[in-house]
Structure formats: C-alpha cells, structure tokens
Amino acid sequence: MLGLAILAISCSPPQAERISIWDASDESNVARIDHGPWQDLLDGYVSTDRSGVNVVEYAALAGNPADAATLAGYLEFLQAIDPRDYSRAEQMAYWINLYNALTVKVVLDAYPVDSIKEIHEGVVPLTGPWNDVHANVAGEDLTLDHIEHGILRPIWRDRRIHYAVNCAAYGCPHLIKTAFTADNTESLLERGARAYVNNPRGVDVVDDDFIVISSIYDWFAVDFGGTEEAVIEHLIDYSDSELAAFLEAFEGAIEYDYDWDLNEPQR
C-alpha cells in the first residue's frame, strides 16, 4: 500500500512554489548572456517532422562528440553565472534556455530511450528526471522542477511559460528552434503558444461533439484560469480563425491526452 501511495504522490502535478532566493535582479545591468552555442545546437539538431512537430536528432548529437562537448560546455557556462546579477528579462531567457539545454543533456546521457520518463534516479519507475539534481547555480543544487515550478512559473506568472520549456516528449510544446534572449522572449512565447494550440497535440478536433486537448491544460489548469471554460477561452485566444470559431460554439465532450514518447525523428 505504501508503494501505491508513493506512486500517487509522484504522479501529482507540481505546484508553483516560489524559491525566494531567485526572486532578485539587477535592472541596471544591461549586459547580455551569450546563447550562441545553444543556437548552434538548435540549428544543427532540431528539425520539424511531417506532423509539424519540432524533434531533436538525439542519435546524431550522440554521434558527434564535438557537439556533445559544446552542449556540456554551454551548460557549464550557464551554471557559472549568477542570474540575479542580470535584469529580469535577461533572467527569463537564461532560465528557459538552461531548462531546455539541461533536458537535452539528460536525454543524451541516457540515450537511447523511448521516453524521458524512463530516466530517473529514484526507486519509483517511470517518474522521469525532473526531481533529480542536474545543475548547480550560485552554489545551489537545482532540479528541472526547481527551474520550472520554483522559478519560472511563480516568479514570472506567465502561462505561456508552458510553451517555452520543453520536456523532451512528443506531446510537449516545441523545443523552439531559436534560443531565447531578452529581446525575443515575448515574440517566442507568442509563437510557441500559437504553434501548440493549432497542432493536434494541443487541440485535436475529433468531431463536432468531441475534442482531445493536451493534458497540460488539466495538470496546470490553475495557470490557464482554473476552469475548463477558462482553458477554452485561452485556446480561442491563440487559435487560428477556423479553430477559434469552432471552439466558440463548442458544447461537446473534452478529453485530455499527452504523448510521452521521445521527441525524436522517424516515429
């Protein structure tokens, strides 16, 4: 019975709980953090498949020691920075890129795997790597959950963060092909939201009376207004005109689903 209880706890969606030590910035600092190495890797290993989903060529990256070293070096560079020395806008880009690059590294280190949920250091199977320590910034050990649910979600309070961080699952919003910067974050958040909502893994119209939407809108409903009606309003805001018109009139059944298969090519 205890094992079942642990499994149930581990499957609960993480709540946004601010880690207060990271809620500081220096708005007078106009310096920019160089994400060029990450951009080079995105250019080389992220492609769009025939379903319109951005996928990562993990096998090719694993087979290129120089580029794998570039990824490791970029992560070492980011971890040597104290983001609190930078402006809030620079920090947001920093944390998103750190999360995404760490996730690629976590998968790369365990590759080949069928799903990121297979990667974990604990005793409960298929819980994924999100609670394992994978970084140290300013002397603080960090997990992927710390970055997403302890820093990005509670400090910025922007629902579009869900379209920026990529968990290496096929059902996840894109690993966007452009590295985040202080200057492009707003446009990339908007682009990511529209790309996801208008793809079947965000909203899949089965028929006039039945739609399947991403489990993200169930797990993190609080970020999207807290009710199914509020979620639909959010989806309408980012839908293309035809989908928006359908959702505005929709009164049918909603089901939630999510594809945990690895976001790699040749599915």
Side-chain angles (χ1 to χ4, degrees):
M1 192 63 109
L2 179 59
L4 291 176
I6 291 173
L7 182 59
I9 291 171
S10 70
C11 293
S12 300
Q15 302 301 308
E17 296 184 8
R18 182 174 62 93
I19 304 175
S20 60
I21 62 169
W22 299 112
D23 195 0
S25 65
D26 182 356
E27 298 306 314
S28 68
N29 186 359
V30 297
R32 293 290 187 253
I33 298 171
D34 179 15
H35 298 290
W38 179 230
Q39 184 61 64
D40 290 342
L41 292 167
L42 293 172
D43 290 340
Y45 296 99
V46 179
S47 58
T48 303
D49 72 5
R50 60 190 175 190
S51 297
V53 179
N54 285 3
V55 291
V56 181
E57 298 174 20
Y58 297 104
L61 181 54
N64 189 321
D67 285 347
T70 295
L71 176 60
Y74 172 67
L75 287 168
E76 290 175 4
F77 164 72
L78 290 186
Q79 291 173 83
I81 291 171
D82 189 335
R84 294 169 296 187
D85 293 337
Y86 291 82
S87 68
R88 189 72 87 196
E90 197 68 26
Q91 286 181 29
M92 189 178 194
Y94 167 93
W95 288 117
I96 292 170
N97 290 333
L98 177 60
Y99 184 99
N100 288 339
L102 273 176
T103 300
V104 171
K105 181 69 161 56
V106 166
V107 173
L108 197 65
D109 288 346
Y111 194 80
V113 291
D114 293 326
S115 170
I116 190 173
K117 293 188 78 175
E118 298 174 14
I119 308 168
H120 61 90
E121 297 175 4
V123 296
V124 181
L126 299 179
T127 52
W130 298 285
N131 284 311
D132 301 331
V133 172
H134 290 292
N136 185 287
V137 176
E140 297 291 328
D141 287 340
L142 290 174
T143 67
L144 291 167
D145 271 0
H146 286 149
I147 296 171
E148 182 177 3
H149 308 299
I151 300 172
L152 282 167
R153 286 177 63 210
I155 293 178
W156 275 271
R157 297 181 178 273
D158 190 325
R159 66 188 66 185
R160 297 172 302 168
I161 286 166
H162 292 289
Y163 305 115
V165 293
N166 180 269
C167 68
Y170 197 78
C172 187
H174 284 323
L175 176 57
I176 297 175
K177 296 180 182 180
T178 304
F180 281 77
T181 68
D183 295 328
N184 70 15
T185 292
E186 177 63 24
S187 64
L188 291 184
L189 291 173
E190 286 290 292
R191 186 194 308 175
R194 293 193 179 279
Y196 192 63
V197 171
N198 292 287
N199 184 275
R201 62 200 207 293
V203 180
D204 186 8
V205 177
V206 179
D207 57 41
D208 289 345
D209 300 310
F210 181 45
I211 62 174
V212 179
I213 65 177
S214 171
S215 295
I216 287 174
Y217 303 116
D218 181 28
W219 298 330
F220 304 108
V222 65
D223 291 354
F224 297 97
T227 66
E228 209 161 67
E229 293 75 15
V231 166
I232 294 297
E233 285 300 318
H234 170 77
L235 296 176
I236 290 170
D237 287 343
Y238 285 97
S239 294
D240 293 341
S241 57
E242 184 177 351
L243 179 58
F246 174 86
L247 291 175
E248 286 170 353
F250 182 72
E251 296 181 349
I254 298 173
E255 184 175 303
Y256 298 90
D257 193 25
Y258 196 81
D259 186 346
W260 279 109
D261 285 351
L262 193 66
N263 61 335
E264 65 178 344
Q266 298 179 345
R267 291 168 48 82

Coordinates of all heavy atoms in Angstrom, one line a residue, residues 124-198:
V124 N 11.0 4.7 -7.8 CA 9.7 4.6 -8.4 C 9.9 4.6 -9.9 O 10.4 5.6 -10.4 CB 8.7 5.7 -7.9 CG1 7.4 5.5 -8.6 CG2 8.6 5.6 -6.4
P125 N 9.4 3.6 -10.6 CA 9.7 3.6 -12.1 C 8.8 4.7 -12.8 O 7.8 5.1 -12.4 CB 9.2 2.2 -12.5 CG 8.2 1.8 -11.5 CD 8.7 2.4 -10.2
L126 N 9.3 5.1 -14.0 CA 8.6 5.9 -14.9 C 8.2 7.3 -14.3 O 7.2 7.9 -14.6 CB 7.4 5.2 -15.5 CG 7.7 4.0 -16.3 CD1 6.4 3.3 -16.8 CD2 8.6 4.3 -17.5
T127 N 9.1 7.8 -13.4 CA 8.8 9.1 -12.8 C 9.6 10.2 -13.4 O 9.3 11.4 -13.2 CB 9.1 9.1 -11.3 OG1 10.4 8.6 -11.1 CG2 8.1 8.2 -10.5
G128 N 10.5 9.8 -14.3 CA 11.3 10.9 -15.0 C 12.3 11.5 -14.2 O 12.5 11.2 -13.0
P129 N 13.1 12.4 -14.8 CA 14.3 13.0 -14.2 C 14.0 14.4 -13.5 O 15.0 15.0 -13.0 CB 15.2 13.2 -15.4 CG 14.3 13.6 -16.5 CD 13.0 12.8 -16.2
W130 N 12.8 14.8 -13.4 CA 12.5 16.2 -13.0 C 12.9 16.5 -11.6 O 13.1 17.7 -11.3 CB 11.1 16.5 -13.3 CG 10.8 16.4 -14.8 CD1 11.2 17.2 -15.8 CD2 10.2 15.3 -15.5 NE1 10.8 16.7 -17.0 CE2 10.2 15.5 -16.8 CE3 9.6 14.1 -15.0 CZ2 9.6 14.7 -17.8 CZ3 9.0 13.2 -15.9 CH2 9.0 13.5 -17.3
N131 N 12.9 15.5 -10.7 CA 13.3 15.8 -9.3 C 14.7 15.4 -9.0 O 15.1 15.5 -7.8 CB 12.3 15.1 -8.4 CG 11.0 15.8 -8.3 OD1 10.9 17.0 -8.1 ND2 9.9 15.0 -8.4
D132 N 15.5 15.0 -10.0 CA 16.9 14.7 -9.8 C 17.7 16.0 -10.0 O 17.4 16.8 -10.9 CB 17.3 13.7 -10.8 CG 16.6 12.4 -10.7 OD1 16.1 12.0 -9.6 OD2 16.4 11.7 -11.7
V133 N 18.8 16.1 -9.2 CA 19.6 17.3 -9.3 C 20.5 17.2 -10.6 O 21.2 16.2 -10.8 CB 20.5 17.5 -8.1 CG1 21.6 18.6 -8.3 CG2 19.7 17.8 -6.9
H134 N 20.4 18.2 -11.5 CA 21.1 18.2 -12.7 C 21.9 19.5 -12.9 O 22.6 19.6 -14.0 CB 20.2 18.0 -13.9 CG 19.6 16.6 -14.0 ND1 20.3 15.5 -14.3 CD2 18.3 16.2 -13.8 CE1 19.5 14.5 -14.3 NE2 18.3 14.8 -14.0
A135 N 21.9 20.4 -12.0 CA 22.6 21.7 -12.2 C 22.9 22.3 -10.8 O 22.3 21.9 -9.8 CB 21.8 22.7 -13.0
N136 N 23.9 23.1 -10.8 CA 24.3 23.9 -9.6 C 24.6 25.3 -10.0 O 25.5 25.6 -10.8 CB 25.5 23.3 -8.9 CG 25.8 24.0 -7.6 OD1 26.3 25.1 -7.6 ND2 25.5 23.3 -6.5
V137 N 23.7 26.3 -9.6 CA 23.9 27.7 -9.9 C 24.0 28.5 -8.7 O 23.3 28.3 -7.7 CB 22.6 28.2 -10.7 CG1 22.7 29.7 -11.0 CG2 22.5 27.4 -12.0
A138 N 25.1 29.3 -8.6 CA 25.4 30.1 -7.5 C 25.4 29.3 -6.2 O 25.0 29.7 -5.1 CB 24.4 31.3 -7.3
G139 N 26.0 28.1 -6.3 CA 26.1 27.2 -5.1 C 24.9 26.5 -4.7 O 24.9 25.7 -3.7
E140 N 23.8 26.6 -5.5 CA 22.5 25.9 -5.2 C 22.3 24.8 -6.1 O 22.3 25.0 -7.4 CB 21.4 26.9 -5.3 CG 21.4 28.1 -4.3 CD 21.2 27.6 -2.8 OE1 20.4 26.7 -2.6 OE2 21.8 28.2 -1.9
D141 N 22.0 23.6 -5.6 CA 21.6 22.5 -6.4 C 20.2 22.7 -7.0 O 19.3 23.2 -6.3 CB 21.6 21.2 -5.6 CG 23.0 20.7 -5.3 OD1 24.0 21.1 -6.0 OD2 23.2 19.9 -4.4
L142 N 20.1 22.4 -8.3 CA 18.8 22.6 -8.9 C 18.3 21.4 -9.7 O 19.1 20.7 -10.3 CB 18.9 23.8 -9.9 CG 19.1 25.2 -9.3 CD1 19.3 26.2 -10.4 CD2 17.9 25.6 -8.5
T143 N 17.0 21.1 -9.6 CA 16.4 20.1 -10.4 C 15.6 20.9 -11.6 O 15.4 22.1 -11.5 CB 15.4 19.3 -9.6 OG1 14.3 20.2 -9.2 CG2 16.0 18.7 -8.4
L144 N 15.2 20.1 -12.5 CA 14.3 20.7 -13.6 C 13.0 21.3 -13.0 O 12.6 22.3 -13.4 CB 14.0 19.7 -14.7 CG 15.2 19.3 -15.5 CD1 14.9 18.0 -16.3 CD2 15.7 20.4 -16.4
D145 N 12.5 20.6 -12.0 CA 11.3 21.1 -11.4 C 11.5 22.4 -10.6 O 10.7 23.3 -10.6 CB 10.7 20.0 -10.4 CG 9.7 19.1 -11.1 OD1 9.5 19.3 -12.3 OD2 9.2 18.2 -10.4
H146 N 12.7 22.5 -10.0 CA 13.0 23.8 -9.4 C 13.0 24.9 -10.4 O 12.4 26.0 -10.1 CB 14.5 23.7 -8.8 CG 14.6 22.9 -7.5 ND1 15.8 22.3 -7.2 CD2 13.7 22.7 -6.5 CE1 15.6 21.7 -6.1 NE2 14.4 21.9 -5.6
I147 N 13.5 24.7 -11.6 CA 13.6 25.8 -12.6 C 12.2 26.1 -13.1 O 11.8 27.3 -13.1 CB 14.5 25.3 -13.7 CG1 15.9 25.1 -13.3 CG2 14.5 26.4 -14.8 CD1 16.9 24.5 -14.3
E148 N 11.4 25.1 -13.4 CA 10.1 25.4 -13.9 C 9.1 25.8 -12.9 O 8.4 26.9 -13.1 CB 9.5 24.2 -14.7 CG 8.2 24.4 -15.3 CD 7.6 23.2 -16.1 OE1 8.3 22.2 -16.1 OE2 6.5 23.4 -16.7
H149 N 9.0 25.1 -11.8 CA 7.9 25.3 -10.8 C 8.3 26.1 -9.6 O 7.4 26.6 -8.9 CB 7.3 23.9 -10.4 CG 7.0 23.1 -11.5 ND1 6.0 23.4 -12.5 CD2 7.5 21.8 -11.9 CE1 5.9 22.4 -13.4 NE2 6.8 21.5 -13.1
G150 N 9.6 26.3 -9.4 CA 10.1 27.1 -8.3 C 10.6 28.5 -8.7 O 10.7 29.4 -7.9
I151 N 10.9 28.6 -10.0 CA 11.4 29.9 -10.5 C 10.6 30.5 -11.6 O 9.9 31.5 -11.4 CB 12.9 29.7 -11.0 CG1 13.8 29.2 -9.9 CG2 13.4 31.0 -11.6 CD1 15.2 28.7 -10.3
L152 N 10.5 29.8 -12.7 CA 9.8 30.4 -13.9 C 8.3 30.6 -13.7 O 7.8 31.8 -13.8 CB 10.0 29.5 -15.1 CG 11.4 29.7 -15.8 CD1 11.6 28.5 -16.8 CD2 11.5 31.0 -16.5
R153 N 7.6 29.6 -13.3 CA 6.1 29.8 -13.1 C 5.8 30.8 -12.0 O 5.0 31.7 -12.2 CB 5.4 28.5 -12.9 CG 5.3 27.6 -14.1 CD 4.7 26.2 -13.7 NE 3.4 26.4 -13.2 CZ 2.8 25.5 -12.3 NH1 3.5 24.5 -11.9 NH2 1.5 25.7 -12.0
P154 N 6.3 30.6 -10.8 CA 5.9 31.5 -9.7 C 6.4 32.9 -9.8 O 5.8 33.9 -9.3 CB 6.3 30.8 -8.4 CG 7.5 30.0 -8.9 CD 7.2 29.6 -10.3
I155 N 7.6 33.1 -10.3 CA 8.2 34.5 -10.4 C 7.6 35.3 -11.5 O 7.3 36.4 -11.4 CB 9.7 34.4 -10.4 CG1 10.3 33.8 -9.1 CG2 10.3 35.8 -10.7 CD1 11.8 33.7 -9.0
W156 N 7.5 34.7 -12.7 CA 7.0 35.4 -13.9 C 5.5 35.4 -14.0 O 4.9 36.2 -14.6 CB 7.7 34.9 -15.1 CG 9.0 35.6 -15.3 CD1 9.3 36.8 -16.0 CD2 10.3 35.2 -14.8 NE1 10.6 37.2 -15.9 CE2 11.3 36.2 -15.1 CE3 10.7 34.2 -14.0 CZ2 12.6 36.1 -14.8 CZ3 12.1 34.1 -13.7 CH2 13.0 35.0 -14.1
R157 N 4.9 34.3 -13.5 CA 3.4 34.2 -13.6 C 2.9 34.4 -15.0 O 1.9 35.2 -15.2 CB 2.8 35.2 -12.6 CG 3.1 34.9 -11.1 CD 2.4 35.8 -10.2 NE 2.7 35.5 -8.8 CZ 2.1 34.6 -8.1 NH1 1.1 34.0 -8.6 NH2 2.4 34.4 -6.8
D158 N 3.5 33.8 -15.9 CA 3.1 33.9 -17.3 C 2.7 32.5 -17.8 O 3.6 31.6 -17.9 CB 4.3 34.5 -18.2 CG 3.9 34.8 -19.6 OD1 3.0 34.1 -20.2 OD2 4.4 35.8 -20.1
R159 N 1.5 32.3 -18.2 CA 1.0 30.9 -18.6 C 1.8 30.5 -19.8 O 1.8 29.2 -20.1 CB -0.5 31.0 -18.8 CG -0.9 31.8 -20.0 CD -2.4 32.0 -20.1 NE -3.0 32.7 -18.9 CZ -4.3 32.9 -18.7 NH1 -5.1 32.4 -19.5 NH2 -4.6 33.5 -17.6
R160 N 2.3 31.4 -20.6 CA 3.0 31.0 -21.8 C 4.3 30.3 -21.6 O 4.9 29.7 -22.5 CB 3.2 32.2 -22.7 CG 1.9 32.8 -23.2 CD 2.1 34.1 -23.9 NE 2.8 35.1 -23.0 CZ 3.4 36.2 -23.4 NH1 3.3 36.6 -24.7 NH2 4.0 37.0 -22.6
I161 N 4.8 30.3 -20.3 CA 6.0 29.5 -20.0 C 5.8 28.1 -20.4 O 6.8 27.4 -20.7 CB 6.3 29.7 -18.5 CG1 6.9 31.1 -18.3 CG2 7.3 28.6 -18.0 CD1 7.0 31.5 -16.8
H162 N 4.6 27.6 -20.3 CA 4.4 26.2 -20.7 C 4.7 25.9 -22.2 O 4.9 24.8 -22.6 CB 2.9 25.8 -20.4 CG 2.6 25.7 -18.9 ND1 3.1 24.8 -18.1 CD2 1.9 26.6 -18.1 CE1 2.7 25.0 -16.8 NE2 2.0 26.1 -16.9
Y163 N 4.7 26.9 -23.0 CA 5.0 26.8 -24.4 C 6.5 27.1 -24.7 O 6.9 27.0 -25.8 CB 4.2 27.8 -25.2 CG 2.7 27.6 -25.0 CD1 2.0 28.7 -24.4 CD2 2.0 26.5 -25.3 CE1 0.6 28.5 -24.2 CE2 0.7 26.3 -25.1 CZ -0.1 27.3 -24.6 OH -1.4 27.2 -24.3
A164 N 7.3 27.4 -23.6 CA 8.7 27.7 -23.8 C 9.6 26.6 -23.3 O 10.6 26.3 -24.0 CB 9.0 29.0 -23.0
V165 N 9.2 25.9 -22.2 CA 10.1 24.8 -21.7 C 9.7 23.5 -22.3 O 8.5 23.2 -22.5 CB 10.0 24.8 -20.1 CG1 10.6 26.0 -19.5 CG2 8.6 24.6 -19.7
N166 N 10.6 22.7 -22.7 CA 10.4 21.5 -23.4 C 10.9 20.3 -22.6 O 12.0 20.3 -22.2 CB 11.1 21.5 -24.8 CG 10.9 20.3 -25.6 OD1 11.6 19.3 -25.5 ND2 9.8 20.2 -26.4
C167 N 10.0 19.3 -22.5 CA 10.3 18.2 -21.6 C 10.7 16.9 -22.4 O 10.7 15.8 -21.8 CB 9.1 17.9 -20.7 SG 7.7 17.2 -21.6
A168 N 11.0 17.1 -23.6 CA 11.5 16.0 -24.5 C 10.5 14.9 -24.8 O 10.8 13.8 -25.1 CB 12.8 15.4 -23.9
A169 N 9.2 15.3 -24.7 CA 8.1 14.4 -25.0 C 7.5 14.9 -26.3 O 7.4 16.1 -26.6 CB 7.1 14.4 -23.9
Y170 N 7.0 14.0 -27.1 CA 6.4 14.3 -28.4 C 5.1 15.2 -28.2 O 4.8 16.0 -29.0 CB 6.0 13.1 -29.2 CG 5.8 13.3 -30.6 CD1 6.8 13.5 -31.5 CD2 4.5 13.4 -31.1 CE1 6.6 13.8 -32.9 CE2 4.2 13.6 -32.5 CZ 5.3 13.8 -33.3 OH 5.0 14.1 -34.7
G171 N 4.4 15.0 -27.1 CA 3.2 15.7 -26.8 C 3.5 17.1 -26.2 O 2.5 17.9 -26.1
C172 N 4.7 17.4 -25.9 CA 5.1 18.7 -25.3 C 5.1 19.8 -26.4 O 5.3 19.6 -27.6 CB 6.5 18.6 -24.7 SG 7.0 20.0 -23.8
P173 N 4.9 21.1 -26.0 CA 5.1 22.2 -26.9 C 6.6 22.1 -27.5 O 7.5 21.5 -26.9 CB 4.9 23.4 -26.0 CG 3.9 23.0 -25.0 CD 4.3 21.5 -24.7
H174 N 6.7 22.8 -28.6 CA 8.0 22.7 -29.3 C 9.2 23.0 -28.5 O 9.2 23.9 -27.6 CB 8.0 23.8 -30.4 CG 7.2 23.4 -31.6 ND1 7.1 22.1 -32.1 CD2 6.5 24.2 -32.5 CE1 6.3 22.1 -33.2 NE2 5.9 23.4 -33.4
L175 N 10.3 22.3 -28.8 CA 11.6 22.9 -28.5 C 11.9 23.9 -29.6 O 12.2 23.5 -30.7 CB 12.7 21.9 -28.5 CG 14.2 22.4 -28.2 CD1 14.3 23.2 -26.9 CD2 15.2 21.3 -28.3
I176 N 11.6 25.2 -29.3 CA 11.7 26.2 -30.3 C 13.1 26.3 -30.9 O 14.1 26.2 -30.2 CB 11.2 27.6 -29.7 CG1 9.8 27.5 -29.3 CG2 11.4 28.7 -30.7 CD1 9.2 28.7 -28.5
K177 N 13.2 26.5 -32.2 CA 14.5 26.5 -32.9 C 15.3 27.7 -32.7 O 16.5 27.8 -33.1 CB 14.2 26.3 -34.4 CG 13.6 25.0 -34.8 CD 13.4 24.9 -36.3 CE 12.7 23.7 -36.7 NZ 12.5 23.6 -38.2
T178 N 14.8 28.7 -32.0 CA 15.5 29.9 -31.7 C 15.8 30.0 -30.2 O 14.9 29.8 -29.3 CB 14.7 31.1 -32.1 OG1 14.4 31.0 -33.5 CG2 15.5 32.4 -31.9
A179 N 17.1 30.3 -29.8 CA 17.4 30.4 -28.4 C 16.7 31.7 -27.9 O 16.6 32.7 -28.6 CB 18.9 30.6 -28.3
F180 N 16.3 31.6 -26.7 CA 15.6 32.8 -26.0 C 16.6 33.8 -25.7 O 17.7 33.5 -25.2 CB 14.8 32.3 -24.8 CG 13.5 31.7 -25.1 CD1 13.4 30.4 -25.5 CD2 12.3 32.4 -24.9 CE1 12.2 29.8 -25.8 CE2 11.1 31.8 -25.2 CZ 11.0 30.5 -25.6
T181 N 16.3 35.1 -25.8 CA 17.1 36.2 -25.4 C 16.1 37.2 -24.8 O 14.9 37.1 -24.9 CB 17.8 36.9 -26.5 OG1 16.9 37.5 -27.4 CG2 18.6 35.9 -27.3
A182 N 16.7 38.2 -24.1 CA 15.9 39.3 -23.5 C 15.0 40.0 -24.6 O 13.9 40.4 -24.3 CB 16.7 40.3 -22.8
D183 N 15.6 40.1 -25.8 CA 14.9 40.8 -26.8 C 13.8 40.0 -27.6 O 12.9 40.6 -28.1 CB 15.9 41.3 -27.9 CG 16.9 42.3 -27.3 OD1 16.5 43.0 -26.4 OD2 18.1 42.3 -27.7
N184 N 13.9 38.7 -27.6 CA 13.0 37.9 -28.4 C 12.0 37.1 -27.6 O 11.1 36.4 -28.1 CB 13.7 37.0 -29.4 CG 14.4 35.9 -28.8 OD1 14.2 35.5 -27.6 ND2 15.3 35.2 -29.5
T185 N 12.1 37.1 -26.3 CA 11.3 36.2 -25.4 C 9.8 36.4 -25.7 O 9.0 35.5 -25.8 CB 11.6 36.4 -23.9 OG1 12.9 36.0 -23.7 CG2 10.6 35.7 -23.1
E186 N 9.3 37.7 -25.7 CA 7.9 37.9 -25.9 C 7.4 37.3 -27.2 O 6.4 36.6 -27.3 CB 7.6 39.4 -25.9 CG 6.2 39.8 -26.2 CD 5.2 39.3 -25.1 OE1 5.6 39.0 -24.0 OE2 4.0 39.1 -25.5
S187 N 8.1 37.5 -28.3 CA 7.7 37.0 -29.6 C 7.8 35.5 -29.6 O 6.9 34.8 -30.2 CB 8.5 37.6 -30.7 OG 9.9 37.2 -30.6
L188 N 8.8 34.9 -29.0 CA 8.9 33.4 -29.0 C 7.8 32.8 -28.1 O 7.2 31.7 -28.5 CB 10.2 33.0 -28.5 CG 11.4 33.3 -29.4 CD1 12.7 32.7 -28.8 CD2 11.2 32.7 -30.8
L189 N 7.4 33.4 -27.0 CA 6.3 32.9 -26.2 C 5.0 32.9 -27.0 O 4.2 31.9 -27.0 CB 6.1 33.7 -24.9 CG 7.2 33.6 -23.9 CD1 7.0 34.7 -22.8 CD2 7.3 32.2 -23.3
E190 N 4.7 34.0 -27.7 CA 3.5 34.1 -28.6 C 3.6 33.0 -29.7 O 2.6 32.3 -30.0 CB 3.4 35.5 -29.2 CG 3.0 36.5 -28.2 CD 1.5 36.3 -27.8 OE1 0.6 36.5 -28.6 OE2 1.3 36.0 -26.6
R191 N 4.7 32.9 -30.3 CA 4.9 31.9 -31.4 C 4.7 30.5 -30.9 O 4.0 29.7 -31.5 CB 6.3 32.1 -32.1 CG 6.4 31.2 -33.3 CD 7.9 31.1 -33.7 NE 8.5 32.4 -33.8 CZ 9.8 32.5 -34.1 NH1 10.6 31.4 -34.2 NH2 10.4 33.7 -34.2
G192 N 5.3 30.2 -29.7 CA 5.1 28.9 -29.2 C 3.7 28.5 -28.8 O 3.3 27.4 -29.0
A193 N 3.0 29.5 -28.3 CA 1.6 29.3 -27.9 C 0.7 29.0 -29.1 O 0.0 28.0 -29.1 CB 1.0 30.5 -27.1
R194 N 0.9 29.8 -30.2 CA 0.1 29.6 -31.4 C 0.5 28.2 -32.1 O -0.4 27.5 -32.6 CB 0.3 30.7 -32.3 CG -0.3 32.0 -31.8 CD -0.4 33.1 -32.8 NE -1.0 34.3 -32.1 CZ -2.3 34.5 -31.9 NH1 -3.1 33.5 -32.3 NH2 -2.8 35.6 -31.4
A195 N 1.7 27.9 -32.1 CA 2.2 26.7 -32.7 C 1.6 25.5 -32.0 O 1.1 24.5 -32.7 CB 3.7 26.6 -32.8
Y196 N 1.5 25.5 -30.7 CA 1.0 24.3 -30.0 C -0.5 24.2 -30.1 O -1.1 23.1 -30.3 CB 1.4 24.5 -28.5 CG 1.2 23.2 -27.7 CD1 1.9 22.0 -28.0 CD2 0.3 23.2 -26.6 CE1 1.7 20.9 -27.3 CE2 0.2 22.0 -25.9 CZ 0.8 20.9 -26.2 OH 0.7 19.7 -25.5
V197 N -1.2 25.3 -29.8 CA -2.7 25.3 -29.8 C -3.2 24.8 -31.2 O -4.2 24.1 -31.2 CB -3.2 26.7 -29.4 CG1 -4.8 26.7 -29.6 CG2 -2.9 27.0 -28.0
N198 N -2.6 25.2 -32.3 CA -3.1 24.9 -33.6 C -2.5 23.6 -34.2 O -2.6 23.4 -35.4 CB -2.8 26.1 -34.5 CG -3.6 27.3 -34.1 OD1 -4.8 27.4 -34.4 ND2 -3.0 28.3 -33.5

